Amino acid sequence: MSEPFFNPFDPAFRANPYPFYDTLRASEPVHRTALGMVVLTRYEDVSATLRCNDFSRDVEKYSEQSTSPARQRRRQRNEGRTKSILNLDPPDHTRLRRLVSKSFTPSAIDRLRPRIQQLVDSRLDRAEEQGSLELVDDLAFPVPFQVISDLLDMPTERVDELRSWSQIITNSLEPTATDEELDATEVALESLIPYLTEIIEHRRRHLADDMLSSLISVEEEGERMTTGELMAFVVLLYIAGHETTVNLIGNGTLALLRNPDQLAIARKHGINGATIDELLRFDGPVQQTVRVPLVPVHFDVAGERVCVEPGTIVLTSLGAANHDPTMFDAPHELRLNRSNSNRHLAFSAGVHYCLGASLAKLESEIAIGSLISRFPTLEMIDTPQWRDRLTIRGVSRLSLSCS
Ligand code: HEM
């Protein structure tokens, strides 16, 4: 099969993937790539796949595909490691999710509101003094980073090293990650894990009223997380806690600036959870995730059954599903009053639905809401730069004048 539409290396795709998704969805909604992976772009297929127990999230266990030497090395190294919740299937996933969900109740997250507001305000005070703001470095990164560091009671003096390790680890999630990038992840983990171990061990000896302490002590019907499970979860939380939300604040602000009529509505009525849902639908930070069928599965394409065999890597395109016109009218328009924005799949669906969704929404609501209400003449100074990534989509630089 030819490869006309889904060329992730094309710079135009990286700048704006949505027209490419449209072409693919219209012509070949169950697309097989040259490497044998399957890409799904219809809302209905993506949603059904994410919710279906015939698919596993554990690609390393159930798929032999795309086994470059570095992926083989990673597979071998990971055999001895405890998997994070994100890579587990039920019933292991169910047990762990029940234990960790206790730390993510809506009331626990809402208690963070004053602290988030204080962090945002102090960043905006500085921007006001300077008359300008580099959105990513001055607001979108530091706020979620500080919040997750507070929650896990992590020191922040080594911010530059921590940011670099977590970016290297996030790069390895890309389907296009090179062998060098995969090997670099190992080096980053070898630095991050001892660092986190020290922090966890210290907290274990001095339990306090924070999320890390509650994760250490959480217990249900005599079950606790093992040390390995706790470590894998803390690494995931720490990285997911800031590598994604930074892009919601960045992409969301950019979307509003590019749509002045919608920005005016947001200024008039304020930003709430529904506004953030539309920003997530319009240009979400996580563009795709993966599943592997455990049994032969079928998709209906123009009345024909297309079979996908067990072990095939299936890329579910969340970005394409969120722009499917059969689900969302005029999907490429940002409409803050859209009635079904909350049906977006930016946080996935089914058992792996993002555990940090309420936190990410709260942080973005406060950051974007405060930014636009405080600076009525906010303007872009130059062209936004995009990260060179496919799975995690986000602006890397967005310079704003806020005088
Ligand atoms: C806008 C920001 C965020 C986006 C777009 C996002 C997106 C996602 C997606 C798509 C998944 C599921 C992937 C799959 O089904 O394969 C996921 C899972 C997860 N996310 Fe987020 N996330 C965000 C913020 C956060 C934050 C702030 C945290 C924690 C502080 C977090 C913690 C997690 C965890 C622990 C999982 C695994 C859940 C499970 O497997 O049961 N995320 N996220």
Side-chain angles (χ1 to χ4, degrees), residues 50 57 84-88 93 97 100 104 148 151 211 233 236-238 240-242 244-248 280 284-286 288-291 318 345-349 351-357 359-361 363-364:
L50 294 172
R57 181 65 180 70
S84 88
I85 185 171
L86 185 58
N87 294 311
L88 288 175
H93 175 269
R97 175 101 185 190
V100 299
F104 283 86
I148 196 69
L151 279 175
M211 187 183 281
F233 186 63
L236 172 66
L237 261 195
Y238 188 54
H242 65 278
T244 48
T245 313
V246 54
N247 300 315
L248 174 54
L280 280 158
V286 180
Q288 63 201 18
T289 183
V290 280
R291 294 293 186 271
L318 309 177
L345 297 174
F347 288 128
S348 188
V351 298
H352 291 285
Y353 180 82
C354 177
L355 189 65
L359 175 58
K361 286 182 74 172
E363 289 173 336
S364 311

Short mmCIF file of all heavy atoms in Angstrom, two decimals, residues 50 57 84-88 93 97 100 104 148 151 211 233 236-238 240-242 244-248 280 284-286 288-291 318 345-349 351-357 359-361 363-364, ligand 1:
data_model
loop_
_atom_site.label_atom_id
_atom_site.label_comp_id
_atom_site.label_asym_id
_atom_site.label_seq_id
_atom_site.Cartn_x
_atom_site.Cartn_y
_atom_site.Cartn_z
N LEU A 50 -10.46 2.39 22.14
CA LEU A 50 -9.94 2.74 23.47
C LEU A 50 -10.78 2.11 24.59
O LEU A 50 -10.28 1.86 25.68
CB LEU A 50 -9.92 4.27 23.65
CG LEU A 50 -8.95 5.02 22.73
CD1 LEU A 50 -9.14 6.53 22.85
CD2 LEU A 50 -7.50 4.66 23.04
N ARG A 57 -2.98 -2.36 26.22
CA ARG A 57 -2.13 -1.15 26.18
C ARG A 57 -0.66 -1.58 26.23
O ARG A 57 0.23 -0.76 26.06
CB ARG A 57 -2.49 -0.28 27.40
CG ARG A 57 -1.75 1.03 27.53
CD ARG A 57 -2.10 1.95 26.39
NE ARG A 57 -1.43 3.24 26.42
CZ ARG A 57 -0.14 3.46 26.21
NH1 ARG A 57 0.68 2.45 25.98
NH2 ARG A 57 0.37 4.67 26.25
N SER A 84 4.43 0.74 34.45
CA SER A 84 3.60 1.80 35.03
C SER A 84 2.14 1.45 34.74
O SER A 84 1.84 0.65 33.85
CB SER A 84 3.96 3.16 34.43
OG SER A 84 3.20 3.38 33.28
N ILE A 85 1.25 2.11 35.46
CA ILE A 85 -0.19 1.87 35.32
C ILE A 85 -0.64 2.01 33.86
O ILE A 85 -1.51 1.29 33.37
CB ILE A 85 -0.96 2.83 36.26
CG1 ILE A 85 -2.45 2.56 36.25
CG2 ILE A 85 -0.70 4.27 35.95
CD1 ILE A 85 -3.22 3.34 37.31
N LEU A 86 0.02 2.94 33.14
CA LEU A 86 -0.36 3.22 31.75
C LEU A 86 -0.15 2.01 30.84
O LEU A 86 -0.80 1.87 29.82
CB LEU A 86 0.46 4.42 31.25
CG LEU A 86 0.16 4.97 29.88
CD1 LEU A 86 -1.30 5.40 29.76
CD2 LEU A 86 1.06 6.15 29.57
N ASN A 87 0.79 1.13 31.22
CA ASN A 87 1.07 -0.03 30.36
C ASN A 87 0.46 -1.32 30.87
O ASN A 87 0.77 -2.39 30.34
CB ASN A 87 2.58 -0.19 30.18
CG ASN A 87 3.15 0.97 29.41
OD1 ASN A 87 2.63 1.34 28.36
ND2 ASN A 87 4.16 1.60 29.95
N LEU A 88 -0.37 -1.22 31.89
CA LEU A 88 -0.98 -2.45 32.44
C LEU A 88 -2.39 -2.63 31.90
O LEU A 88 -3.09 -1.65 31.62
CB LEU A 88 -1.07 -2.35 33.96
CG LEU A 88 0.23 -2.46 34.74
CD1 LEU A 88 -0.04 -2.20 36.22
CD2 LEU A 88 0.88 -3.82 34.56
N HIS A 93 -4.28 -3.45 36.21
CA HIS A 93 -4.56 -2.02 36.07
C HIS A 93 -5.65 -1.60 37.05
O HIS A 93 -5.55 -0.58 37.71
CB HIS A 93 -4.97 -1.70 34.62
CG HIS A 93 -5.37 -0.27 34.45
ND1 HIS A 93 -6.67 0.16 34.61
CD2 HIS A 93 -4.64 0.84 34.20
CE1 HIS A 93 -6.71 1.46 34.44
NE2 HIS A 93 -5.50 1.90 34.18
N ARG A 97 -5.21 1.27 39.79
CA ARG A 97 -5.97 2.51 39.54
C ARG A 97 -6.85 2.83 40.75
O ARG A 97 -7.00 3.99 41.13
CB ARG A 97 -6.80 2.34 38.26
CG ARG A 97 -7.71 3.48 37.93
CD ARG A 97 -7.16 4.38 36.86
NE ARG A 97 -8.03 5.52 36.66
CZ ARG A 97 -7.94 6.39 35.68
NH1 ARG A 97 -7.00 6.29 34.79
NH2 ARG A 97 -8.76 7.40 35.58
N VAL A 100 -4.56 4.39 43.44
CA VAL A 100 -4.05 5.75 43.23
C VAL A 100 -5.15 6.78 43.06
O VAL A 100 -4.92 7.97 43.31
CB VAL A 100 -3.06 5.82 42.03
CG1 VAL A 100 -1.86 4.93 42.27
CG2 VAL A 100 -3.73 5.47 40.71
N PHE A 104 -6.59 11.48 43.79
CA PHE A 104 -7.00 12.39 42.71
C PHE A 104 -8.48 12.73 42.74
O PHE A 104 -9.07 13.00 41.70
CB PHE A 104 -6.65 11.77 41.35
CG PHE A 104 -5.19 11.88 41.03
CD1 PHE A 104 -4.30 10.93 41.48
CD2 PHE A 104 -4.70 12.96 40.33
CE1 PHE A 104 -2.95 11.04 41.22
CE2 PHE A 104 -3.35 13.09 40.06
CZ PHE A 104 -2.47 12.12 40.50
N ILE A 148 3.22 19.95 40.28
CA ILE A 148 3.48 18.51 40.45
C ILE A 148 4.64 18.31 41.43
O ILE A 148 4.65 17.35 42.22
CB ILE A 148 3.69 17.78 39.09
CG1 ILE A 148 3.56 16.25 39.25
CG2 ILE A 148 5.02 18.08 38.44
CD1 ILE A 148 2.20 15.76 39.54
N LEU A 151 3.11 18.64 44.79
CA LEU A 151 2.28 17.48 45.13
C LEU A 151 3.13 16.29 45.55
O LEU A 151 2.77 15.52 46.43
CB LEU A 151 1.44 17.06 43.92
CG LEU A 151 0.18 17.86 43.66
CD1 LEU A 151 -0.48 17.41 42.38
CD2 LEU A 151 -0.80 17.67 44.83
N MET A 211 0.65 14.38 48.68
CA MET A 211 0.22 13.27 47.83
C MET A 211 1.20 12.09 47.87
O MET A 211 0.80 10.94 47.88
CB MET A 211 0.05 13.74 46.38
CG MET A 211 -0.55 12.67 45.51
SD MET A 211 -0.67 13.15 43.80
CE MET A 211 -2.12 14.15 43.81
N PHE A 233 4.87 4.64 39.15
CA PHE A 233 3.77 5.60 39.15
C PHE A 233 4.28 7.03 39.33
O PHE A 233 3.82 7.96 38.65
CB PHE A 233 2.76 5.24 40.25
CG PHE A 233 1.53 6.10 40.21
CD1 PHE A 233 0.69 6.07 39.11
CD2 PHE A 233 1.23 6.95 41.25
CE1 PHE A 233 -0.44 6.89 39.05
CE2 PHE A 233 0.10 7.76 41.21
CZ PHE A 233 -0.73 7.73 40.10
N LEU A 236 5.80 8.30 36.15
CA LEU A 236 4.74 8.64 35.18
C LEU A 236 4.05 9.95 35.56
O LEU A 236 3.85 10.84 34.74
CB LEU A 236 3.72 7.50 35.11
CG LEU A 236 2.46 7.79 34.30
CD1 LEU A 236 2.80 7.97 32.82
CD2 LEU A 236 1.43 6.67 34.44
N LEU A 237 3.70 10.06 36.86
CA LEU A 237 2.99 11.26 37.33
C LEU A 237 3.82 12.50 37.11
O LEU A 237 3.33 13.53 36.67
CB LEU A 237 2.81 11.16 38.84
CG LEU A 237 1.52 10.70 39.42
CD1 LEU A 237 1.48 11.04 40.89
CD2 LEU A 237 0.33 11.33 38.71
N TYR A 238 5.08 12.36 37.44
CA TYR A 238 5.97 13.48 37.39
C TYR A 238 6.09 13.98 35.95
O TYR A 238 6.00 15.18 35.68
CB TYR A 238 7.32 13.03 37.93
CG TYR A 238 8.26 14.16 38.10
CD1 TYR A 238 7.91 15.26 38.85
CD2 TYR A 238 9.51 14.12 37.50
CE1 TYR A 238 8.77 16.31 38.98
CE2 TYR A 238 10.38 15.16 37.64
CZ TYR A 238 10.01 16.26 38.39
OH TYR A 238 10.86 17.30 38.51
N ALA A 240 4.01 13.07 33.26
CA ALA A 240 2.68 13.43 32.73
C ALA A 240 2.21 14.74 33.36
O ALA A 240 1.50 15.52 32.73
CB ALA A 240 1.67 12.33 33.03
N GLY A 241 2.64 14.97 34.60
CA GLY A 241 2.19 16.15 35.34
C GLY A 241 2.59 17.46 34.72
O GLY A 241 1.94 18.47 34.91
N HIS A 242 3.72 17.47 33.97
CA HIS A 242 4.05 18.77 33.37
C HIS A 242 4.31 18.71 31.87
O HIS A 242 4.13 19.72 31.20
CB HIS A 242 5.22 19.42 34.11
CG HIS A 242 6.51 18.69 34.00
ND1 HIS A 242 6.81 17.63 34.80
CD2 HIS A 242 7.56 18.85 33.18
CE1 HIS A 242 8.00 17.19 34.49
NE2 HIS A 242 8.49 17.90 33.49
N THR A 244 2.58 17.51 29.55
CA THR A 244 1.37 17.63 28.75
C THR A 244 0.66 18.96 28.99
O THR A 244 0.28 19.65 28.04
CB THR A 244 0.38 16.51 29.14
OG1 THR A 244 0.32 16.50 30.55
CG2 THR A 244 0.84 15.17 28.61
N THR A 245 0.51 19.34 30.25
CA THR A 245 -0.26 20.55 30.57
C THR A 245 0.40 21.79 29.97
O THR A 245 -0.29 22.73 29.55
CB THR A 245 -0.43 20.68 32.09
OG1 THR A 245 -0.84 19.41 32.59
CG2 THR A 245 -1.46 21.71 32.45
N VAL A 246 1.74 21.79 29.94
CA VAL A 246 2.45 22.91 29.31
C VAL A 246 1.90 23.15 27.90
O VAL A 246 1.71 24.29 27.47
CB VAL A 246 3.99 22.64 29.29
CG1 VAL A 246 4.36 21.33 28.65
CG2 VAL A 246 4.73 23.74 28.56
N ASN A 247 1.58 22.07 27.19
CA ASN A 247 1.11 22.21 25.81
C ASN A 247 -0.36 22.60 25.72
O ASN A 247 -0.78 23.20 24.74
CB ASN A 247 1.38 20.92 25.04
CG ASN A 247 2.87 20.62 25.02
OD1 ASN A 247 3.67 21.51 24.77
ND2 ASN A 247 3.24 19.40 25.32
N LEU A 248 -1.13 22.26 26.75
CA LEU A 248 -2.53 22.72 26.75
C LEU A 248 -2.56 24.24 26.95
O LEU A 248 -3.30 24.96 26.26
CB LEU A 248 -3.33 21.99 27.83
CG LEU A 248 -4.77 22.47 28.03
CD1 LEU A 248 -5.58 22.47 26.75
CD2 LEU A 248 -5.48 21.60 29.09
N LEU A 280 -9.06 21.68 24.21
CA LEU A 280 -8.49 20.33 24.13
C LEU A 280 -8.92 19.64 22.84
O LEU A 280 -8.14 18.94 22.20
CB LEU A 280 -8.96 19.49 25.32
CG LEU A 280 -8.22 19.71 26.64
CD1 LEU A 280 -9.07 19.27 27.81
CD2 LEU A 280 -6.89 18.97 26.63
N GLY A 284 -5.27 19.40 20.88
CA GLY A 284 -4.88 18.73 22.12
C GLY A 284 -3.39 18.38 22.18
O GLY A 284 -2.76 18.18 21.14
N PRO A 285 -2.85 18.29 23.40
CA PRO A 285 -1.42 18.00 23.55
C PRO A 285 -1.04 16.56 23.21
O PRO A 285 0.10 16.30 22.87
CB PRO A 285 -1.16 18.25 25.03
CG PRO A 285 -2.31 19.01 25.55
CD PRO A 285 -3.47 18.67 24.68
N VAL A 286 -1.95 15.60 23.37
CA VAL A 286 -1.59 14.21 23.05
C VAL A 286 -2.35 13.84 21.78
O VAL A 286 -3.57 13.76 21.78
CB VAL A 286 -1.95 13.25 24.22
CG1 VAL A 286 -1.58 11.81 23.86
CG2 VAL A 286 -1.23 13.66 25.49
N GLN A 288 -1.97 11.08 19.77
CA GLN A 288 -2.28 9.67 19.49
C GLN A 288 -1.83 8.79 20.65
O GLN A 288 -0.99 9.18 21.44
CB GLN A 288 -1.55 9.22 18.24
CG GLN A 288 -0.05 9.27 18.39
CD GLN A 288 0.65 9.32 17.05
OE1 GLN A 288 0.06 9.65 16.05
NE2 GLN A 288 1.91 8.98 17.05
N THR A 289 -2.42 7.63 20.70
CA THR A 289 -1.92 6.64 21.64
C THR A 289 -1.98 5.28 20.93
O THR A 289 -2.36 5.21 19.77
CB THR A 289 -2.68 6.70 22.99
OG1 THR A 289 -2.08 5.74 23.86
CG2 THR A 289 -4.16 6.40 22.85
N VAL A 290 -1.54 4.24 21.63
CA VAL A 290 -1.42 2.93 20.95
C VAL A 290 -2.22 1.85 21.68
O VAL A 290 -2.40 1.89 22.90
CB VAL A 290 0.05 2.43 20.91
CG1 VAL A 290 0.83 3.08 19.81
CG2 VAL A 290 0.72 2.59 22.24
N ARG A 291 -2.64 0.88 20.91
CA ARG A 291 -3.25 -0.33 21.45
C ARG A 291 -2.81 -1.49 20.57
O ARG A 291 -2.41 -1.30 19.42
CB ARG A 291 -4.79 -0.25 21.42
CG ARG A 291 -5.41 0.80 22.34
CD ARG A 291 -5.21 0.49 23.81
NE ARG A 291 -5.92 1.43 24.70
CZ ARG A 291 -5.39 2.57 25.16
NH1 ARG A 291 -4.18 2.94 24.81
NH2 ARG A 291 -6.10 3.34 25.97
N LEU A 318 -6.02 10.57 18.31
CA LEU A 318 -6.96 11.36 19.11
C LEU A 318 -7.23 12.70 18.42
O LEU A 318 -8.36 13.19 18.40
CB LEU A 318 -6.39 11.61 20.51
CG LEU A 318 -5.89 10.38 21.28
CD1 LEU A 318 -5.28 10.78 22.61
CD2 LEU A 318 -7.02 9.37 21.51
N LEU A 345 -11.68 13.35 22.78
CA LEU A 345 -10.92 12.19 23.27
C LEU A 345 -9.50 12.59 23.67
O LEU A 345 -8.61 11.75 23.73
CB LEU A 345 -10.88 11.11 22.18
CG LEU A 345 -12.25 10.53 21.79
CD1 LEU A 345 -12.13 9.57 20.60
CD2 LEU A 345 -12.89 9.79 22.97
N ALA A 346 -9.28 13.89 23.92
CA ALA A 346 -7.91 14.35 24.21
C ALA A 346 -7.32 13.70 25.45
O ALA A 346 -6.11 13.60 25.59
CB ALA A 346 -7.91 15.87 24.36
N PHE A 347 -8.19 13.26 26.38
CA PHE A 347 -7.70 12.56 27.58
C PHE A 347 -7.88 11.05 27.43
O PHE A 347 -7.88 10.32 28.42
CB PHE A 347 -8.47 13.01 28.83
CG PHE A 347 -8.13 14.41 29.31
CD1 PHE A 347 -9.13 15.34 29.54
CD2 PHE A 347 -6.82 14.78 29.56
CE1 PHE A 347 -8.84 16.62 30.01
CE2 PHE A 347 -6.51 16.05 30.03
CZ PHE A 347 -7.52 16.98 30.26
N SER A 348 -8.08 10.57 26.19
CA SER A 348 -8.34 9.15 25.92
C SER A 348 -9.75 8.78 26.41
O SER A 348 -10.58 9.68 26.64
CB SER A 348 -7.25 8.28 26.55
OG SER A 348 -7.38 6.94 26.15
N ALA A 349 -9.98 7.48 26.57
CA ALA A 349 -11.31 7.01 26.99
C ALA A 349 -11.12 5.60 27.53
O ALA A 349 -10.08 4.98 27.31
CB ALA A 349 -12.26 6.99 25.80
N VAL A 351 -10.57 2.59 30.34
CA VAL A 351 -9.92 2.42 31.65
C VAL A 351 -8.71 3.31 31.84
O VAL A 351 -8.34 3.65 32.97
CB VAL A 351 -9.54 0.95 31.94
CG1 VAL A 351 -10.76 0.05 31.99
CG2 VAL A 351 -8.52 0.42 30.95
N HIS A 352 -8.04 3.71 30.73
CA HIS A 352 -6.84 4.54 30.88
C HIS A 352 -7.13 6.03 30.81
O HIS A 352 -6.19 6.83 30.71
CB HIS A 352 -5.80 4.16 29.81
CG HIS A 352 -5.22 2.80 30.02
ND1 HIS A 352 -4.29 2.54 31.00
CD2 HIS A 352 -5.46 1.62 29.41
CE1 HIS A 352 -3.97 1.25 30.97
NE2 HIS A 352 -4.67 0.68 30.01
N TYR A 353 -8.42 6.40 30.84
CA TYR A 353 -8.77 7.83 30.80
C TYR A 353 -7.87 8.59 31.78
O TYR A 353 -7.67 8.16 32.93
CB TYR A 353 -10.25 8.02 31.19
CG TYR A 353 -10.68 9.48 31.16
CD1 TYR A 353 -11.04 10.08 29.97
CD2 TYR A 353 -10.69 10.24 32.32
CE1 TYR A 353 -11.41 11.42 29.93
CE2 TYR A 353 -11.05 11.58 32.30
CZ TYR A 353 -11.41 12.16 31.10
OH TYR A 353 -11.76 13.50 31.07
N CYS A 354 -7.34 9.72 31.30
CA CYS A 354 -6.31 10.44 32.06
C CYS A 354 -6.69 10.67 33.53
O CYS A 354 -7.71 11.29 33.82
CB CYS A 354 -6.03 11.77 31.40
SG CYS A 354 -4.85 12.78 32.31
N LEU A 355 -5.82 10.22 34.40
CA LEU A 355 -6.07 10.37 35.83
C LEU A 355 -5.91 11.84 36.26
O LEU A 355 -6.52 12.27 37.24
CB LEU A 355 -5.05 9.50 36.57
CG LEU A 355 -5.21 9.31 38.06
CD1 LEU A 355 -6.49 8.56 38.38
CD2 LEU A 355 -4.02 8.54 38.61
N GLY A 356 -5.09 12.57 35.51
CA GLY A 356 -4.81 13.97 35.91
C GLY A 356 -5.69 14.97 35.19
O GLY A 356 -5.39 16.18 35.21
N ALA A 357 -6.78 14.51 34.55
CA ALA A 357 -7.59 15.41 33.72
C ALA A 357 -8.09 16.64 34.51
O ALA A 357 -7.98 17.77 34.03
CB ALA A 357 -8.77 14.65 33.12
N LEU A 359 -6.88 18.01 37.18
CA LEU A 359 -5.77 18.89 37.54
C LEU A 359 -5.33 19.71 36.32
O LEU A 359 -5.13 20.93 36.40
CB LEU A 359 -4.59 18.06 38.09
CG LEU A 359 -3.32 18.84 38.40
CD1 LEU A 359 -3.57 19.95 39.40
CD2 LEU A 359 -2.22 17.91 38.91
N ALA A 360 -5.18 19.03 35.18
CA ALA A 360 -4.73 19.72 33.97
C ALA A 360 -5.73 20.81 33.59
O ALA A 360 -5.35 21.92 33.20
CB ALA A 360 -4.59 18.72 32.82
N LYS A 361 -7.02 20.51 33.73
CA LYS A 361 -8.04 21.50 33.35
C LYS A 361 -8.01 22.70 34.31
O LYS A 361 -8.12 23.84 33.89
CB LYS A 361 -9.43 20.85 33.33
CG LYS A 361 -9.61 19.94 32.12
CD LYS A 361 -10.99 19.32 32.04
CE LYS A 361 -12.05 20.31 31.61
NZ LYS A 361 -13.35 19.65 31.37
N GLU A 363 -5.45 23.80 36.12
CA GLU A 363 -4.24 24.61 35.89
C GLU A 363 -4.42 25.49 34.65
O GLU A 363 -4.06 26.68 34.66
CB GLU A 363 -3.02 23.71 35.69
CG GLU A 363 -2.57 23.01 36.97
CD GLU A 363 -1.47 22.00 36.75
OE1 GLU A 363 -1.32 21.47 35.61
OE2 GLU A 363 -0.74 21.70 37.71
N SER A 364 -4.97 24.92 33.59
CA SER A 364 -5.10 25.67 32.33
C SER A 364 -6.17 26.75 32.46
O SER A 364 -6.01 27.85 31.93
CB SER A 364 -5.48 24.74 31.18
OG SER A 364 -4.63 23.65 31.19
C1 HEM B 1 -3.60 18.53 29.19
C2 HEM B 1 -2.93 17.69 29.90
C3 HEM B 1 -3.00 16.20 29.76
C4 HEM B 1 -3.36 15.43 28.69
C5 HEM B 1 -3.82 15.91 27.31
C6 HEM B 1 -3.26 14.04 29.10
C7 HEM B 1 -3.57 12.98 28.30
C8 HEM B 1 -3.57 11.66 28.71
C9 HEM B 1 -3.95 10.53 27.87
C10 HEM B 1 -4.35 10.64 26.40
C11 HEM B 1 -3.84 9.41 28.64
C12 HEM B 1 -4.20 7.97 28.25
C13 HEM B 1 -3.32 7.35 27.19
C14 HEM B 1 -3.90 6.06 26.70
O1 HEM B 1 -5.12 5.81 26.76
O2 HEM B 1 -3.12 5.26 26.17
C15 HEM B 1 -3.41 9.82 29.94
C16 HEM B 1 -3.20 8.95 31.00
C17 HEM B 1 -2.69 9.35 32.21
N1 HEM B 1 -2.44 10.64 32.62
FE1 HEM B 1 -2.74 12.33 31.56
N2 HEM B 1 -2.83 14.00 30.41
C18 HEM B 1 -2.68 15.28 30.85
C19 HEM B 1 -2.29 15.69 32.11
C20 HEM B 1 -2.01 14.85 33.14
C21 HEM B 1 -1.63 15.26 34.47
C22 HEM B 1 -1.53 16.71 34.94
C23 HEM B 1 -1.39 14.12 35.19
C24 HEM B 1 -1.01 13.93 36.62
C25 HEM B 1 -0.68 14.82 37.49
C26 HEM B 1 -1.68 12.99 34.32
C27 HEM B 1 -1.59 11.67 34.70
C28 HEM B 1 -1.95 10.61 33.91
C29 HEM B 1 -1.88 9.22 34.36
C30 HEM B 1 -1.41 8.73 35.71
C31 HEM B 1 -2.34 8.44 33.28
C32 HEM B 1 -2.48 6.91 33.24
C33 HEM B 1 -3.88 6.50 33.62
C34 HEM B 1 -4.13 5.01 33.48
O3 HEM B 1 -3.42 4.33 32.72
O4 HEM B 1 -5.06 4.53 34.13
N3 HEM B 1 -2.04 13.47 33.09
N4 HEM B 1 -3.25 11.19 29.97
#
